[in-house]
Amino acid sequence: MSIEEAGQFATLFDRLVRGVEEVVLGKQHVIRLAFTALFSQGHLLLEDVPGTGKTSLARAIAQSVRGTNNRVQFTPDLLPGDITGVSIFDQRTATFEFHRGPVFANIVLADEINRASPKTQAALLEVMEEGQVTADGVTHKVAGPFMVIATQNPIEQAGTYRLPEAQLDRFLMKTSIGYPDQAATVRILEGAGRRAHDSTVAAVLSAESVVEVAALARTVFVDATINDYVARLVDATRNSPEVRLGASVRGALALIRTAKTYAASQGRHYVTPDDVKALAEPVLAHRLLLDAEAEFDGVSASSVIGRILVETPPPRSGQDQRADVL
């Protein structure tokens, strides 16, 4: 990626963020994380209490891309075929015809994903990782770009099923929106006469353009010292006394991928340690499985990542190294 291309990427990125910010007020950081996940060709998990705008954010991102988008409301009686599709026997041709499910879209909103049974949740594993659905031994590809934006409520656990670690690892990022500040709340109340689903976002990119922009983000330069820094961070999660299961290799790759996109969104054609620090918590925290005693003591995965960032020294810049030599 050249300096000029990085500037163009940042301009486009800011335009997308401003459009969604008209719907989700006062949450620019979360919106930037969401588009970082989109252009890193990954999936996003939004975990927050009801009424904070999780569904509105997911719908606005889908509208900003001129492609197909579907919404699936997850419930305990939802079956895997309701998501992926089913084969139906056609009496006229005496053959089975595959009818595609809502997962065959560019952006799929999986609302309250933890309300579905583990079997239904597992139906998303193949399509999230490989971009395809296998039914009756036949593979059906989903069109690119493909992104799953899932939401879940962490407070109400009755009638819910916790996502297994294998599926959490498929989500590139996990973040929360949180409550708006007072100024944003006032703006929301001023528009109380307009229903949430009436707000629309103008499409900025076509689906084909998203694929091209994502390919451009992958060309951002990553120095060997940055790779070493990420490797040390991931290794520290595995050796932490509060952690029973540390970040996987997939998590390390995800951190590099998102750091490239994040750097380009800032108008840079190279990754810095600050890019890695900014994304470590949303990319790695949900991949950690804490020790039961640590959880009982109130330790969170986010606090573990924060401590590791403080204790793990970042690589020094070339200027610092030259100063040591002089």
Side-chain angles (χ1 to χ4, degrees):
M1 175 183 285
S2 64
I3 298 177
E4 292 75 15
E5 289 173 330
Q8 294 171 0
F9 187 104
T11 300
L12 175 62
F13 198 95
D14 290 340
R15 183 182 171 192
L16 288 164
V17 171
R18 286 195 301 269
V20 174
E21 202 174 9
E22 292 296 322
V23 176
V24 184
L25 303 177
K27 296 298 177 181
Q28 185 181 112
H29 177 66
V30 177
I31 298 171
R32 295 188 75 90
L33 287 179
F35 278 113
T36 298
L38 174 64
F39 290 121
S40 300
Q41 296 183 305
H43 309 290
L44 178 66
L45 178 61
L46 298 173
E47 183 178 83
D48 218 328
V49 296
T52 53
K54 300 185 298 295
T55 305
S56 297
L57 173 60
R59 186 187 297 115
I61 293 173
Q63 291 174 345
S64 66
V65 177
R66 198 177 297 109
T68 57
N69 63 85
N70 286 324
R71 178 180 181 270
V72 183
Q73 182 65 49
F74 279 62
T75 56
D77 60 347
L78 193 71
L79 299 176
D82 297 331
I83 301 173
T84 59
V86 293
S87 296
I88 299 178
F89 185 73
D90 190 339
Q91 294 183 340
R92 294 173 299 177
T93 60
T95 58
F96 282 93
E97 181 180 354
F98 181 70
H99 289 247
R100 299 188 170 195
V103 78
F104 286 88
N106 295 125
I107 296 181
V108 178
L109 171 57
D111 217 356
E112 296 185 290
I113 189 173
N114 56 335
R115 291 201 175 277
S117 66
K119 183 177 182 180
T120 302
Q121 293 174 3
L124 285 173
L125 285 176
E126 180 186 9
V127 68
M128 288 176 65
E129 182 66 19
E130 303 176 23
Q132 65 183 28
V133 170
T134 302
D136 299 326
V138 180
T139 299
H140 306 271
K141 291 281 187 180
V142 298
F146 174 69
M147 181 184 188
V148 173
I149 303 177
T151 70
Q152 65 176 6
N153 177 5
I155 304 301
E156 186 181 352
Q157 299 299 325
T160 64
Y161 302 87
R162 179 177 177 178
L163 291 177
E165 285 69 27
Q167 184 154 2
L168 283 173
D169 205 27
R170 261 65 175 188
F171 284 100
L172 188 71
M173 287 188 190
K174 175 185 173 184
T175 188
S176 61
I177 298 177
Y179 291 117
D181 57 24
Q182 182 179 359
T185 301
V186 171
R187 290 180 60 191
I188 293 172
L189 295 177
E190 289 173 350
R194 184 175 65 253
R195 301 181 65 180
H197 66 265
D198 292 334
S199 301
T200 58
V201 176
V204 176
L205 282 178
S206 64
E208 295 77 12
S209 298
V210 172
V211 176
E212 295 173 359
V213 174
L216 182 63
R218 291 197 298 270
T219 64
V220 171
F221 174 73
V222 180
D223 190 76
T225 58
I226 298 294
N227 288 327
D228 177 73
Y229 181 46
V230 170
R232 287 188 286 120
L233 287 175
V234 171
D235 189 59
T237 66
R238 300 166 185 164
N239 297 322
S240 175
E242 302 98 340
V243 177
R244 184 152 49 99
L245 180 65
S248 64
V249 176
R250 185 185 285 115
L253 291 170
L255 190 51
I256 290 294
R257 285 166 52 197
T258 53
K260 287 183 175 184
T261 305
Y262 191 83
S265 72
Q266 304 295 321
R268 282 183 281 103
H269 63 290
Y270 57 91
V271 174
T272 67
D274 287 339
D275 297 327
V276 175
K277 291 180 180 179
L279 297 169
E281 192 273 333
V283 172
L284 297 181
H286 67 284
R287 304 174 194 271
L288 306 186
L289 186 60
L290 297 182
D291 182 80
E293 185 175 345
E295 283 189 294
F296 181 78
D297 291 338
V299 177
S300 66
S302 297
S303 65
V304 171
I305 295 296
R307 177 181 57 78
I308 289 175
L309 287 174
V310 172
E311 296 177 352
T312 306
R316 293 177 299 174
S317 66
Q319 291 183 345
D320 294 337
Q321 294 175 0
R322 285 194 296 271
D324 290 345
V325 173
L326 297 174

